[in-house]
Amino acid sequence: MSVEGDHPPSPRRRDRQAAHAVLTNRQQVRKRRERRGSESRYIQEGRAGGLNVMGSADSTPGPRSKVERVIEEYGLEGLGDELERRWTGASGERESLRSLADRFNRAVLEAALDEAGASPLDGEVENTYRLLRGDDVSPGMQTEARRQLERDGVDREQVESDFVSHQAIHTYLREHRGAELETEEESRVEKEAQTIRRLQGRISVVTESGLTRLANAGDITVGDFEVLTDVQVYCADCGSQYEAVELIERGGCDCESDDAE
């Protein structure tokens, strides 16, 4: 006798359902990236024709920040909240902007590996990111890491172009999320750091504008470029070297820790 009713799905059916869910998520990510490509081409064509492609004269919202765009394209919902909590210290000890940028980029890399079906092991994302961005990594090791990503089916060039700088994280937190540091000491530190960032940002804008004018005039050849400014501070006493804003945010060089030892 057969009895009709609800039956739990077979293991094979569950596998098919899980595979369908993964495929659907990947398709959504691809659609978002295709949409971004179309929007980017439209903006470039509009700028070339002297059009206001960001909206009418009455519209006030500006373009999204790079961080916002990457969060949406990789499906990193909730990461913005986490970055803000870590930067302001709402969830414990404050985290520097450079550390937050690394955290963000690792999340991008992990999402790309998941999308490609690579299923990275514990610690693999961190190690791969270190090989891609570490200052102490040889060119040969970096090349091999990139080749491995390509073998895993990852669009390596796209992923690396979607990595962000600590300056981009700061712009996103301050201008797009309205995050602020509250205590008097933090405000004083942040004020000096912000002054340096503004100068770095100004240098980036002037440099980008100059390169763009030269490229449009045919004087130089350059692809889809991004200008990065980096001011380094070297301490002759302890031999440490840090980016200027990072030095401020971490509270100094290694002299104090060396004295403590």
Side-chain angles (χ1 to χ4, degrees):
M1 178 184 297
S2 62
V3 179
E4 297 184 353
D6 295 333
H7 297 279
S10 65
R12 180 175 298 178
R13 183 178 180 184
R14 286 198 300 269
D15 291 341
R16 287 200 302 268
Q17 291 173 336
H20 176 73
V22 172
L23 178 61
T24 300
N25 181 63
R26 293 177 185 172
Q27 290 172 337
Q28 291 174 345
V29 173
R30 291 192 185 98
K31 287 181 179 179
R32 286 195 295 266
R33 293 185 181 176
E34 290 172 358
R35 185 170 64 248
R36 181 189 71 171
S38 299
E39 292 174 351
S40 177
R41 286 191 297 272
Y42 170 71
I43 291 173
Q44 291 174 358
E45 292 171 358
R47 286 174 177 169
L51 299 177
N52 177 12
V53 297
M54 299 314 298
S56 65
D58 296 331
S59 61
T60 55
R64 293 180 303 168
S65 70
K66 180 178 181 180
V67 175
E68 283 182 299
R69 172 176 59 75
V70 173
I71 286 177
E72 178 181 342
E73 290 171 1
Y74 286 83
L76 301 176
E77 290 80 7
L79 184 56
D81 292 336
E82 180 183 355
L83 294 175
E84 181 176 345
R85 289 195 304 270
R86 289 180 178 276
W87 185 57
T88 60
S91 57
E93 186 177 353
R94 281 193 58 222
E95 194 167 328
S96 72
L97 290 167
R98 187 172 293 273
S99 176
L100 292 177
D102 289 335
R103 182 181 297 277
F104 182 93
N105 294 337
R106 286 194 296 268
V108 170
L109 178 60
E110 183 174 11
L113 286 167
D114 287 340
E115 179 191 346
S119 301
L121 302 174
D122 289 344
E124 185 176 351
V125 172
E126 289 78 4
N127 185 57
T128 300
Y129 180 71
R130 181 185 65 82
L131 293 175
L132 292 175
R133 306 287 281 191
D135 296 331
D136 58 342
V137 177
S138 68
M141 296 175 64
Q142 189 176 67
T143 298
E144 178 56 32
R146 286 171 171 163
R147 288 175 177 171
Q148 183 59 52
L149 286 175
E150 292 171 351
R151 287 193 292 267
D152 289 336
V154 174
D155 187 345
R156 189 267 307 169
E157 291 185 357
Q158 180 64 59
V159 169
E160 288 197 85
S161 71
D162 287 332
F163 286 165
V164 303
S165 66
H166 67 282
Q167 295 162 322
I169 292 291
H170 181 260
T171 298
Y172 168 70
L173 291 173
R174 291 295 297 268
E175 298 183 9
H176 295 271
R177 295 188 65 92
E180 294 182 354
L181 303 178
E182 296 181 354
T183 68
E184 180 179 351
E185 179 181 358
E186 288 174 335
S187 297
R188 185 171 62 252
V189 169
E190 180 58 24
K191 180 179 179 180
E192 298 300 332
Q194 177 64 13
T195 299
I196 296 175
R197 289 195 197 94
R198 280 198 297 267
L199 292 174
Q200 289 178 307
R202 178 60 180 165
I203 293 173
S204 296
V205 170
V206 171
T207 303
E208 181 177 354
S209 299
L211 292 175
T212 300
R213 286 194 298 270
L214 290 174
N216 291 339
D219 294 329
I220 63 172
T221 300
V222 62
D224 185 11
F225 69 91
E226 180 179 2
V227 177
L228 302 176
T229 59
D230 193 24
V231 179
Q232 296 287 323
V233 178
Y234 172 75
C235 177
D237 291 336
C238 64
S240 64
Q241 180 172 324
Y242 293 97
E243 194 273 335
V245 174
E246 180 186 11
L247 179 71
I248 294 175
E249 291 179 338
R250 75 187 302 273
C253 62
D254 295 341
C255 283
E256 183 177 353
S257 58
D258 290 344
D259 293 341
E261 294 176 358

